[in-house]
mmCIF file of all heavy atoms in Angstrom:
data_model
loop_
_atom_site.group_PDB
_atom_site.id
_atom_site.type_symbol
_atom_site.label_atom_id
_atom_site.label_comp_id
_atom_site.label_asym_id
_atom_site.label_seq_id
_atom_site.Cartn_x
_atom_site.Cartn_y
_atom_site.Cartn_z
ATOM 1 N N LEU E 255 -29.719 -42.470 48.231
ATOM 2 C CA LEU E 255 -31.205 -42.644 48.159
ATOM 3 C C LEU E 255 -31.864 -42.390 49.481
ATOM 4 O O LEU E 255 -33.112 -42.466 49.627
ATOM 5 C CB LEU E 255 -31.577 -43.915 47.599
ATOM 6 C CG LEU E 255 -31.269 -44.155 46.111
ATOM 7 C CD1 LEU E 255 -31.612 -45.590 45.553
ATOM 8 C CD2 LEU E 255 -31.992 -43.052 45.231
ATOM 9 N N ASP E 256 -31.068 -42.022 50.563
ATOM 10 C CA ASP E 256 -31.690 -41.562 51.788
ATOM 11 C C ASP E 256 -31.897 -40.146 51.805
ATOM 12 O O ASP E 256 -31.197 -39.413 51.030
ATOM 13 C CB ASP E 256 -30.766 -42.033 52.964
ATOM 14 C CG ASP E 256 -30.863 -43.544 53.312
ATOM 15 O OD1 ASP E 256 -31.884 -44.217 52.925
ATOM 16 O OD2 ASP E 256 -29.958 -44.029 53.963
ATOM 17 N N PRO E 257 -32.784 -39.629 52.659
ATOM 18 C CA PRO E 257 -32.821 -38.174 52.893
ATOM 19 C C PRO E 257 -31.438 -37.877 53.564
ATOM 20 O O PRO E 257 -30.943 -38.681 54.294
ATOM 21 C CB PRO E 257 -33.895 -37.978 53.815
ATOM 22 C CG PRO E 257 -34.714 -39.341 53.876
ATOM 23 C CD PRO E 257 -33.798 -40.298 53.469
ATOM 24 N N GLY E 258 -31.045 -36.618 53.422
ATOM 25 C CA GLY E 258 -29.761 -36.213 53.997
ATOM 26 C C GLY E 258 -29.764 -34.737 54.206
ATOM 27 O O GLY E 258 -30.579 -33.923 53.793
ATOM 28 N N LEU E 259 -28.584 -34.379 54.912
ATOM 29 C CA LEU E 259 -28.479 -32.954 55.354
ATOM 30 C C LEU E 259 -27.094 -32.540 54.903
ATOM 31 O O LEU E 259 -26.086 -33.167 55.178
ATOM 32 C CB LEU E 259 -28.484 -32.990 56.907
ATOM 33 C CG LEU E 259 -28.971 -31.763 57.617
ATOM 34 C CD1 LEU E 259 -30.388 -31.318 57.175
ATOM 35 C CD2 LEU E 259 -28.981 -32.079 59.108
ATOM 36 N N SER E 260 -27.097 -31.410 54.168
ATOM 37 C CA SER E 260 -25.771 -30.884 53.692
ATOM 38 C C SER E 260 -25.435 -29.802 54.812
ATOM 39 O O SER E 260 -26.223 -29.414 55.684
ATOM 40 C CB SER E 260 -25.976 -30.172 52.381
ATOM 41 O OG SER E 260 -26.746 -29.020 52.522
ATOM 42 N N ILE E 261 -24.195 -29.313 54.734
ATOM 43 C CA ILE E 261 -23.736 -28.317 55.657
ATOM 44 C C ILE E 261 -24.664 -27.045 55.537
ATOM 45 O O ILE E 261 -25.107 -26.487 56.501
ATOM 46 C CB ILE E 261 -22.317 -27.864 55.350
ATOM 47 C CG1 ILE E 261 -21.410 -29.013 55.600
ATOM 48 C CG2 ILE E 261 -21.913 -26.679 56.161
ATOM 49 C CD1 ILE E 261 -19.965 -28.755 55.159
ATOM 50 N N THR E 262 -25.011 -26.702 54.249
ATOM 51 C CA THR E 262 -25.838 -25.532 53.995
ATOM 52 C C THR E 262 -27.291 -25.767 54.623
ATOM 53 O O THR E 262 -27.870 -24.820 55.210
ATOM 54 C CB THR E 262 -25.894 -25.173 52.586
ATOM 55 O OG1 THR E 262 -26.289 -26.350 51.838
ATOM 56 C CG2 THR E 262 -24.653 -24.673 52.076
ATOM 57 N N ALA E 263 -27.785 -26.955 54.409
ATOM 58 C CA ALA E 263 -29.161 -27.199 54.898
ATOM 59 C C ALA E 263 -29.175 -27.215 56.434
ATOM 60 O O ALA E 263 -30.138 -26.698 57.045
ATOM 61 C CB ALA E 263 -29.684 -28.541 54.412
ATOM 62 N N ALA E 264 -28.195 -27.689 57.070
ATOM 63 C CA ALA E 264 -28.123 -27.704 58.515
ATOM 64 C C ALA E 264 -27.961 -26.238 58.964
ATOM 65 O O ALA E 264 -28.600 -25.924 59.960
ATOM 66 C CB ALA E 264 -26.837 -28.481 58.957
ATOM 67 N N LEU E 265 -27.301 -25.412 58.247
ATOM 68 C CA LEU E 265 -27.090 -24.026 58.503
ATOM 69 C C LEU E 265 -28.426 -23.290 58.551
ATOM 70 O O LEU E 265 -28.721 -22.533 59.466
ATOM 71 C CB LEU E 265 -26.164 -23.486 57.535
ATOM 72 C CG LEU E 265 -25.092 -22.428 57.918
ATOM 73 C CD1 LEU E 265 -24.001 -22.360 56.944
ATOM 74 C CD2 LEU E 265 -25.767 -21.169 58.226
ATOM 75 N N THR E 266 -29.254 -23.405 57.407
ATOM 76 C CA THR E 266 -30.392 -22.618 57.374
ATOM 77 C C THR E 266 -31.382 -23.097 58.376
ATOM 78 O O THR E 266 -32.115 -22.359 58.960
ATOM 79 C CB THR E 266 -31.149 -22.827 55.981
ATOM 80 O OG1 THR E 266 -31.231 -24.189 55.702
ATOM 81 C CG2 THR E 266 -30.323 -22.122 54.939
ATOM 82 N N ASN E 267 -31.393 -24.421 58.722
ATOM 83 C CA ASN E 267 -32.291 -24.874 59.702
ATOM 84 C C ASN E 267 -31.937 -24.459 61.132
ATOM 85 O O ASN E 267 -32.877 -24.168 61.924
ATOM 86 C CB ASN E 267 -32.439 -26.473 59.644
ATOM 87 C CG ASN E 267 -33.276 -26.876 58.542
ATOM 88 O OD1 ASN E 267 -34.426 -26.568 58.500
ATOM 89 N ND2 ASN E 267 -32.722 -27.583 57.483
ATOM 90 N N ALA E 268 -30.618 -24.296 61.344
ATOM 91 C CA ALA E 268 -30.202 -23.777 62.616
ATOM 92 C C ALA E 268 -30.648 -22.375 62.910
ATOM 93 O O ALA E 268 -31.106 -21.957 63.983
ATOM 94 C CB ALA E 268 -28.730 -23.813 62.797
ATOM 95 N N ALA E 269 -30.705 -21.595 61.765
ATOM 96 C CA ALA E 269 -31.143 -20.191 61.870
ATOM 97 C C ALA E 269 -32.635 -20.091 61.927
ATOM 98 O O ALA E 269 -33.208 -19.223 62.566
ATOM 99 C CB ALA E 269 -30.552 -19.395 60.717
ATOM 100 N N GLY E 270 -33.339 -20.987 61.116
ATOM 101 C CA GLY E 270 -34.717 -20.907 60.930
ATOM 102 C C GLY E 270 -35.425 -21.037 62.280
ATOM 103 O O GLY E 270 -36.553 -20.441 62.502
ATOM 104 N N GLY E 271 -34.928 -21.803 63.243
ATOM 105 C CA GLY E 271 -35.520 -21.947 64.509
ATOM 106 C C GLY E 271 -35.207 -20.857 65.489
ATOM 107 O O GLY E 271 -35.570 -21.011 66.717
ATOM 108 N N SER E 272 -34.514 -19.852 65.150
ATOM 109 C CA SER E 272 -33.901 -18.888 66.173
ATOM 110 C C SER E 272 -34.825 -17.655 66.221
ATOM 111 O O SER E 272 -34.465 -16.620 65.682
ATOM 112 C CB SER E 272 -32.511 -18.534 65.767
ATOM 113 O OG SER E 272 -32.554 -17.856 64.537
ATOM 114 N N ASP E 273 -35.914 -17.764 66.902
ATOM 115 C CA ASP E 273 -36.716 -16.579 67.026
ATOM 116 C C ASP E 273 -36.174 -15.765 68.249
ATOM 117 O O ASP E 273 -36.540 -14.585 68.496
ATOM 118 C CB ASP E 273 -38.205 -16.971 67.199
ATOM 119 C CG ASP E 273 -38.798 -17.404 65.889
ATOM 120 O OD1 ASP E 273 -38.252 -16.936 64.836
ATOM 121 O OD2 ASP E 273 -39.635 -18.212 65.847
ATOM 122 N N GLN E 274 -35.455 -16.455 69.080
ATOM 123 C CA GLN E 274 -34.896 -15.735 70.302
ATOM 124 C C GLN E 274 -33.578 -15.097 69.949
ATOM 125 O O GLN E 274 -33.047 -15.171 68.806
ATOM 126 C CB GLN E 274 -34.830 -16.682 71.495
ATOM 127 C CG GLN E 274 -35.869 -17.637 71.541
ATOM 128 C CD GLN E 274 -35.847 -18.846 70.710
ATOM 129 O OE1 GLN E 274 -34.614 -19.179 70.268
ATOM 130 N NE2 GLN E 274 -36.868 -19.431 70.309
ATOM 131 N N ALA E 275 -32.849 -14.657 70.968
ATOM 132 C CA ALA E 275 -31.534 -14.111 70.838
ATOM 133 C C ALA E 275 -30.602 -15.338 70.380
ATOM 134 O O ALA E 275 -30.984 -16.482 70.542
ATOM 135 C CB ALA E 275 -31.068 -13.560 72.145
ATOM 136 N N LEU E 276 -29.410 -14.928 69.909
ATOM 137 C CA LEU E 276 -28.507 -15.903 69.369
ATOM 138 C C LEU E 276 -27.761 -16.588 70.610
ATOM 139 O O LEU E 276 -26.615 -16.291 70.921
ATOM 140 C CB LEU E 276 -27.492 -15.273 68.519
ATOM 141 C CG LEU E 276 -27.988 -14.665 67.218
ATOM 142 C CD1 LEU E 276 -26.985 -13.941 66.491
ATOM 143 C CD2 LEU E 276 -28.540 -15.866 66.410
ATOM 144 N N VAL E 277 -28.420 -17.502 71.286
ATOM 145 C CA VAL E 277 -27.787 -18.239 72.290
ATOM 146 C C VAL E 277 -27.904 -19.691 72.137
ATOM 147 O O VAL E 277 -28.883 -20.202 71.469
ATOM 148 C CB VAL E 277 -28.351 -17.830 73.695
ATOM 149 C CG1 VAL E 277 -27.845 -16.490 74.044
ATOM 150 C CG2 VAL E 277 -29.770 -17.917 73.728
ATOM 151 N N GLY E 278 -27.026 -20.493 72.776
ATOM 152 C CA GLY E 278 -27.215 -21.960 72.801
ATOM 153 C C GLY E 278 -26.548 -22.593 71.595
ATOM 154 O O GLY E 278 -26.490 -21.954 70.565
ATOM 155 N N ALA E 279 -26.075 -23.763 71.883
ATOM 156 C CA ALA E 279 -25.295 -24.555 70.817
ATOM 157 C C ALA E 279 -26.124 -24.763 69.518
ATOM 158 O O ALA E 279 -25.628 -24.597 68.428
ATOM 159 C CB ALA E 279 -24.797 -25.810 71.436
ATOM 160 N N PRO E 280 -27.421 -25.094 69.635
ATOM 161 C CA PRO E 280 -28.183 -25.314 68.408
ATOM 162 C C PRO E 280 -28.254 -24.168 67.471
ATOM 163 O O PRO E 280 -28.323 -24.326 66.228
ATOM 164 C CB PRO E 280 -29.600 -25.614 68.859
ATOM 165 C CG PRO E 280 -29.473 -26.035 70.316
ATOM 166 C CD PRO E 280 -28.276 -25.264 70.830
ATOM 167 N N VAL E 281 -28.044 -22.948 68.029
ATOM 168 C CA VAL E 281 -27.965 -21.786 67.156
ATOM 169 C C VAL E 281 -26.499 -21.355 66.784
ATOM 170 O O VAL E 281 -26.226 -21.071 65.661
ATOM 171 C CB VAL E 281 -28.736 -20.517 67.725
ATOM 172 C CG1 VAL E 281 -28.611 -19.332 66.908
ATOM 173 C CG2 VAL E 281 -30.203 -20.893 68.017
ATOM 174 N N LYS E 282 -25.698 -21.413 67.841
ATOM 175 C CA LYS E 282 -24.288 -21.134 67.583
ATOM 176 C C LYS E 282 -23.597 -21.998 66.540
ATOM 177 O O LYS E 282 -22.634 -21.575 65.935
ATOM 178 C CB LYS E 282 -23.558 -21.266 68.950
ATOM 179 C CG LYS E 282 -23.881 -20.090 69.915
ATOM 180 C CD LYS E 282 -23.222 -18.728 69.515
ATOM 181 C CE LYS E 282 -23.650 -17.674 70.540
ATOM 182 N NZ LYS E 282 -23.506 -16.387 70.041
ATOM 183 N N VAL E 283 -24.173 -23.201 66.383
ATOM 184 C CA VAL E 283 -23.583 -24.097 65.401
ATOM 185 C C VAL E 283 -23.527 -23.432 64.039
ATOM 186 O O VAL E 283 -22.622 -23.804 63.189
ATOM 187 C CB VAL E 283 -24.325 -25.359 65.358
ATOM 188 C CG1 VAL E 283 -25.676 -25.310 64.743
ATOM 189 C CG2 VAL E 283 -23.463 -26.458 64.684
ATOM 190 N N LEU E 284 -24.435 -22.542 63.708
ATOM 191 C CA LEU E 284 -24.414 -21.995 62.400
ATOM 192 C C LEU E 284 -23.160 -21.228 62.037
ATOM 193 O O LEU E 284 -22.672 -21.246 60.905
ATOM 194 C CB LEU E 284 -25.727 -21.163 62.187
ATOM 195 C CG LEU E 284 -25.938 -19.857 62.775
ATOM 196 C CD1 LEU E 284 -25.353 -18.732 61.875
ATOM 197 C CD2 LEU E 284 -27.433 -19.597 62.866
ATOM 198 N N PHE E 285 -22.568 -20.649 63.059
ATOM 199 C CA PHE E 285 -21.279 -19.984 62.815
ATOM 200 C C PHE E 285 -20.260 -20.979 62.557
ATOM 201 O O PHE E 285 -19.331 -20.752 61.634
ATOM 202 C CB PHE E 285 -20.891 -19.105 64.027
ATOM 203 C CG PHE E 285 -21.847 -17.962 64.238
ATOM 204 C CD1 PHE E 285 -22.810 -18.093 65.231
ATOM 205 C CD2 PHE E 285 -21.748 -16.845 63.508
ATOM 206 C CE1 PHE E 285 -23.667 -17.081 65.480
ATOM 207 C CE2 PHE E 285 -22.627 -15.746 63.740
ATOM 208 C CZ PHE E 285 -23.615 -15.952 64.683
ATOM 209 N N PHE E 286 -20.229 -22.018 63.247
ATOM 210 C CA PHE E 286 -19.235 -23.074 63.012
ATOM 211 C C PHE E 286 -19.370 -23.671 61.554
ATOM 212 O O PHE E 286 -18.306 -23.789 60.820
ATOM 213 C CB PHE E 286 -19.356 -24.201 64.068
ATOM 214 C CG PHE E 286 -18.424 -25.262 63.889
ATOM 215 C CD1 PHE E 286 -17.124 -25.211 64.299
ATOM 216 C CD2 PHE E 286 -18.842 -26.542 63.301
ATOM 217 C CE1 PHE E 286 -16.225 -26.393 64.082
ATOM 218 C CE2 PHE E 286 -17.872 -27.564 63.099
ATOM 219 C CZ PHE E 286 -16.651 -27.527 63.437
ATOM 220 N N LEU E 287 -20.568 -23.949 61.249
ATOM 221 C CA LEU E 287 -20.839 -24.513 59.952
ATOM 222 C C LEU E 287 -20.416 -23.503 58.848
ATOM 223 O O LEU E 287 -19.898 -23.834 57.745
ATOM 224 C CB LEU E 287 -22.276 -24.906 59.694
ATOM 225 C CG LEU E 287 -22.712 -26.165 60.539
ATOM 226 C CD1 LEU E 287 -24.181 -26.393 60.331
ATOM 227 C CD2 LEU E 287 -21.985 -27.393 60.122
ATOM 228 N N GLY E 288 -20.758 -22.282 59.125
ATOM 229 C CA GLY E 288 -20.485 -21.136 58.222
ATOM 230 C C GLY E 288 -19.011 -21.085 57.977
ATOM 231 O O GLY E 288 -18.509 -20.894 56.875
ATOM 232 N N LEU E 289 -18.255 -21.165 59.033
ATOM 233 C CA LEU E 289 -16.707 -21.124 58.926
ATOM 234 C C LEU E 289 -16.197 -22.279 58.087
ATOM 235 O O LEU E 289 -15.321 -22.058 57.211
ATOM 236 C CB LEU E 289 -16.104 -21.114 60.350
ATOM 237 C CG LEU E 289 -14.542 -20.966 60.327
ATOM 238 C CD1 LEU E 289 -14.175 -19.554 59.854
ATOM 239 C CD2 LEU E 289 -14.014 -21.174 61.819
ATOM 240 N N LEU E 290 -16.738 -23.420 58.407
ATOM 241 C CA LEU E 290 -16.297 -24.633 57.609
ATOM 242 C C LEU E 290 -16.577 -24.376 56.137
ATOM 243 O O LEU E 290 -15.684 -24.642 55.255
ATOM 244 C CB LEU E 290 -17.083 -25.841 58.192
ATOM 245 C CG LEU E 290 -16.804 -27.229 57.516
ATOM 246 C CD1 LEU E 290 -15.324 -27.565 58.069
ATOM 247 C CD2 LEU E 290 -17.788 -28.242 58.137
ATOM 248 N N LEU E 291 -17.724 -23.962 55.876
ATOM 249 C CA LEU E 291 -18.154 -23.688 54.491
ATOM 250 C C LEU E 291 -17.242 -22.618 53.757
ATOM 251 O O LEU E 291 -16.834 -22.807 52.739
ATOM 252 C CB LEU E 291 -19.626 -23.216 54.373
ATOM 253 C CG LEU E 291 -20.385 -23.244 53.062
ATOM 254 C CD1 LEU E 291 -20.426 -24.715 52.657
ATOM 255 C CD2 LEU E 291 -21.868 -22.641 53.432
ATOM 256 N N PHE E 292 -17.025 -21.572 54.506
ATOM 257 C CA PHE E 292 -16.173 -20.420 54.064
ATOM 258 C C PHE E 292 -14.762 -20.947 53.693
ATOM 259 O O PHE E 292 -14.331 -20.650 52.652
ATOM 260 C CB PHE E 292 -16.122 -19.425 55.170
ATOM 261 C CG PHE E 292 -15.260 -18.235 54.873
ATOM 262 C CD1 PHE E 292 -15.690 -17.207 54.065
ATOM 263 C CD2 PHE E 292 -13.930 -18.085 55.426
ATOM 264 C CE1 PHE E 292 -14.857 -16.181 53.666
ATOM 265 C CE2 PHE E 292 -13.128 -17.033 55.088
ATOM 266 C CZ PHE E 292 -13.660 -16.010 54.242
ATOM 267 N N VAL E 293 -14.183 -21.736 54.642
ATOM 268 C CA VAL E 293 -12.844 -22.154 54.467
ATOM 269 C C VAL E 293 -12.745 -23.127 53.116
ATOM 270 O O VAL E 293 -11.909 -22.895 52.362
ATOM 271 C CB VAL E 293 -12.265 -22.884 55.701
ATOM 272 C CG1 VAL E 293 -10.927 -23.537 55.419
ATOM 273 C CG2 VAL E 293 -12.145 -21.924 56.781
ATOM 274 N N VAL E 294 -13.677 -24.012 53.121
ATOM 275 C CA VAL E 294 -13.705 -24.934 51.985
ATOM 276 C C VAL E 294 -13.846 -24.282 50.586
ATOM 277 O O VAL E 294 -13.087 -24.482 49.628
ATOM 278 C CB VAL E 294 -14.712 -26.078 52.191
ATOM 279 C CG1 VAL E 294 -14.849 -26.907 50.921
ATOM 280 C CG2 VAL E 294 -14.369 -26.947 53.310
ATOM 281 N N THR E 295 -14.975 -23.361 50.572
ATOM 282 C CA THR E 295 -15.229 -22.807 49.240
ATOM 283 C C THR E 295 -14.131 -21.841 48.854
ATOM 284 O O THR E 295 -13.778 -21.753 47.721
ATOM 285 C CB THR E 295 -16.615 -21.991 49.213
ATOM 286 O OG1 THR E 295 -16.532 -21.167 50.411
ATOM 287 C CG2 THR E 295 -17.725 -23.044 49.316
ATOM 288 N N MET E 296 -13.574 -21.023 49.952
ATOM 289 C CA MET E 296 -12.503 -20.128 49.570
ATOM 290 C C MET E 296 -11.230 -20.877 49.077
ATOM 291 O O MET E 296 -10.536 -20.440 48.152
ATOM 292 C CB MET E 296 -12.179 -19.199 50.733
ATOM 293 C CG MET E 296 -11.102 -18.294 50.461
ATOM 294 S SD MET E 296 -11.382 -16.712 51.249
ATOM 295 C CE MET E 296 -9.740 -16.641 52.081
#
Side-chain angles (χ1 to χ4, degrees):
Chain E
L255 289 177
D256 282 342
L259 209 55
S260 69
I261 296 175
T262 51
L265 218 163
T266 49
N267 281 299
S272 67
D273 287 331
Q274 320 80 25
L276 291 173
V277 288
V281 177
K282 288 285 180 204
V283 71
L284 70 90
F285 295 99
F286 178 78
L287 292 175
L289 184 63
L290 186 64
L291 199 59
F292 177 78
V293 170
V294 171
T295 52
M296 181 144 126

